[in-house]
Amino acid sequence: STTRINNYQAPEACDDVASQDGINTFDLNQFTTDIQTINGFSLPVTYYETYNDALLEQNELTSTYTNTTPYNQTIYTRVEDNNACYGIGEVILTINTLPELEEDDTILYCLNTFPSTITLDAGVLNGSPNDYTYNWSSGETTPNIAINTIGTYTVTVMNASGCTNSRAIIVEPSNIATFES
């Protein structure tokens, strides 16, 4: 008789900055110890994409698995005890989205207006700015900062899931225009 083993909510992952498509690669070996601890056994754990594969012990997944359903997918574990099926359980994989930010930018600061400031914006494109935390290279932690110095400013934005994304704003000098007659 098949004993169900506890379902396992894998540690949530953040989407990959380079692709942002909800597809990530997981090291299944990192889950095995947790699953063994939660269930109180040291039996070997194998992984399958479908319940049927786990039941029939076919198409076993390798230790490196890339999910096929974006953002949320359930795969299955099979645990053997003396060559008999001890249990099949679910492993829930969750990939959280990153903050959506405007592209990196280059802007001009008119040197002749110093010490007047210009405002740089973290550039969050989705949700309310209050839903995020901010960490600027200047040390500030607000959605916008006022600056009057040329240089590169980077901001790292974190959402409620703990996922971060960054953008850079390069501030270049500009002098007052001169006209020749």
Side-chain angles (χ1 to χ4, degrees), residues 26-90:
F26 296 87
D27 178 359
L28 300 180
N29 292 338
Q30 290 188 331
F31 304 156
T32 299
T33 308
D34 273 356
I35 291 168
Q36 289 168 332
T37 303
I38 290 164
N39 289 284
F41 57 61
S42 59
L43 302 169
V45 178
T46 50
Y47 297 87
Y48 299 87
E49 203 163 48
T50 67
Y51 180 82
N52 207 44
D53 281 354
L55 203 59
L56 301 174
E57 291 183 83
Q58 64 189 18
N59 306 315
E60 183 181 330
L61 300 175
T62 59
S63 60
T64 304
Y65 177 69
T66 302
N67 63 306
T68 55
T69 305
Y71 301 106
N72 209 298
Q73 184 167 352
T74 299
I75 60 172
Y76 297 86
T77 55
R78 180 184 174 102
V79 177
E80 292 276 317
D81 186 12
N82 286 329
N83 220 21
C85 184
Y86 177 83
I88 293 174
E90 297 181 353

Side-chain angles (χ1 to χ4, degrees), residues 9-178:
Q9 171 68 59
E12 294 186 6
C14 291
D15 209 351
D16 185 25
V17 175
S19 59
Q20 296 191 47
D21 56 5
I23 303 294
N24 276 35
T25 301
F26 296 87
D27 178 359
L28 300 180
N29 292 338
Q30 290 188 331
F31 304 156
T32 299
T33 308
D34 273 356
I35 291 168
Q36 289 168 332
T37 303
I38 290 164
N39 289 284
F41 57 61
S42 59
L43 302 169
V45 178
T46 50
Y47 297 87
Y48 299 87
E49 203 163 48
T50 67
Y51 180 82
N52 207 44
D53 281 354
L55 203 59
L56 301 174
E57 291 183 83
Q58 64 189 18
N59 306 315
E60 183 181 330
L61 300 175
T62 59
S63 60
T64 304
Y65 177 69
T66 302
N67 63 306
T68 55
T69 305
Y71 301 106
N72 209 298
Q73 184 167 352
T74 299
I75 60 172
Y76 297 86
T77 55
R78 180 184 174 102
V79 177
E80 292 276 317
D81 186 12
N82 286 329
N83 220 21
C85 184
Y86 177 83
I88 293 174
E90 297 181 353
V91 175
I92 298 108
L93 304 176
T94 305
I95 297 99
N96 292 312
T97 57
L98 305 181
E100 266 183 76
L101 304 180
E102 291 174 19
E103 297 288 315
D104 290 356
D105 204 3
T106 300
I107 60 173
L108 299 175
Y109 175 71
C110 291
L111 297 177
N112 56 297
T113 63
F114 184 86
S116 295
T117 60
I118 56 172
T119 301
L120 304 185
D121 189 303
V124 170
L125 296 174
N126 56 339
S128 160
N130 296 337
D131 296 339
Y132 301 90
T133 58
Y134 304 87
N135 190 359
W136 289 87
S137 52
S138 59
E140 286 149 298
T141 57
T142 51
N144 306 303
I145 61 171
I147 61 102
N148 61 8
T149 311
I150 60 169
T152 300
Y153 296 82
T154 56
V155 60
T156 301
V157 180
M158 185 190 314
N159 63 19
S161 303
C163 298
T164 60
N165 203 353
S166 298
R167 78 182 282 244
I169 303 167
I170 300 166
V171 179
E172 294 185 337
S174 172
N175 282 307
I176 195 162
T178 54

